[in-house]
Amino acid sequence: MAKVELTPLRPWDDFYPGSERFAKPDGKDLAKWNNRVVNNLLYYQTNYLALGIAVFLVVGFLNPVGMLTAVVVVSAVFVASVWAAENRSVISHFKRNNPTVFVVAVMVTSYMLISVLGSVMVFMSAITLPLALIFAHASFRLRNMKNKLENKMEGAGLKRSPMGILLEALGQQEENFLKIQSVLEGKLKD
């Protein structure tokens, strides 16, 4: 197994070069849209991390107690959902069959707990805003050849990255691993 390494920070002109590298995703083909999002999350993960940290720090300086509450709640819900998916067969089966619904359920649960604790605006601005910006960029950004090559290496297990591990924990990369495994098995049989 390859060691975990952070991908390099992509240059600004690659990350946001202009309108010619962006296109509206096909809402009728959700599998293709999901594939674009996952691949962009893997390729631009360091840029997304920098964007998230910048927004997180600004909001954290404005409301540190609310920020700490939001971080603890979201982290606890995420860890609990991953643990439950690994240790409870019903939840594991649900996550495998409905990965997007599972992620939305984790987010809604986090939101409800944070609203009870009174830190909703901090959650909305510090966590949801960067997530919305990242999702929008990953949805609209078209992939280039370097993006596709890097993602093949990640999917084949030649490289491991923090985003790859996170997406695997959320069940978003199992399809890619199964496709690559079937291709490799086909090559070995030939």
Side-chain angles (χ1 to χ4, degrees), residues 65-67 69-70 114-124:
V65 174
M67 178 63 75
T69 302
I114 290 172
S115 68
V116 168
L117 297 173
S119 299
V120 173
M121 289 312 295
V122 173
F123 175 76
M124 295 302 286

Side-chain angles (χ1 to χ4, degrees), residues 20-77:
E20 70 275 359
R21 294 301 304 156
F22 286 86
K24 181 180 171 190
D26 184 8
K28 295 177 183 168
D29 190 357
L30 294 179
K32 188 174 179 180
W33 186 3
N34 185 55
N35 186 40
R36 182 193 290 187
V37 169
V38 167
N39 286 311
N40 280 330
L41 287 173
L42 288 169
Y43 186 70
Y44 294 112
Q45 62 186 285
T46 307
N47 295 68
Y48 294 148
L49 179 64
L51 174 69
I53 288 172
V55 172
F56 191 82
L57 289 174
V58 168
V59 174
F61 285 125
L62 297 175
N63 189 347
V65 174
M67 178 63 75
L68 182 62
T69 302
V71 168
V72 168
V73 169
V74 170
S75 299
V77 170

Side-chain angles (χ1 to χ4, degrees), residues 38-180:
V38 167
N39 286 311
N40 280 330
L41 287 173
L42 288 169
Y43 186 70
Y44 294 112
Q45 62 186 285
T46 307
N47 295 68
Y48 294 148
L49 179 64
L51 174 69
I53 288 172
V55 172
F56 191 82
L57 289 174
V58 168
V59 174
F61 285 125
L62 297 175
N63 189 347
V65 174
M67 178 63 75
L68 182 62
T69 302
V71 168
V72 168
V73 169
V74 170
S75 299
V77 170
F78 177 76
V79 168
S81 67
V82 170
W83 177 86
E86 290 179 2
N87 295 306
R88 302 285 185 239
S89 62
V90 172
I91 296 173
S92 177
H93 180 70
F94 178 79
K95 180 180 124 178
R96 189 173 18 263
N97 292 334
N98 306 299
T100 304
V101 175
F102 183 77
V103 171
V104 170
V106 169
M107 292 175 68
V108 168
T109 303
S110 297
Y111 176 79
M112 290 178 6
L113 288 172
I114 290 172
S115 68
V116 168
L117 297 173
S119 299
V120 173
M121 289 312 295
V122 173
F123 175 76
M124 295 302 286
S125 56
I127 296 172
T128 307
L129 178 61
L131 288 176
L133 292 172
I134 290 167
F135 181 73
H137 183 273
S139 291
F140 288 94
R141 178 67 167 95
L142 296 172
R143 297 175 10 191
N144 57 27
M145 288 307 290
K146 189 173 180 185
N147 182 325
K148 292 176 184 178
L149 178 64
E150 289 284 327
N151 292 333
K152 294 287 183 203
M153 291 174 62
E154 172 88 23
L158 300 175
K159 291 177 72 177
R160 296 289 294 161
S161 64
M163 182 63 74
I165 293 169
L166 177 66
L167 290 170
E168 186 178 338
L170 293 172
Q172 293 295 317
Q173 283 202 305
E174 292 174 16
E175 295 172 6
N176 293 341
F177 292 132
L178 293 175
K179 287 178 189 174
I180 291 169

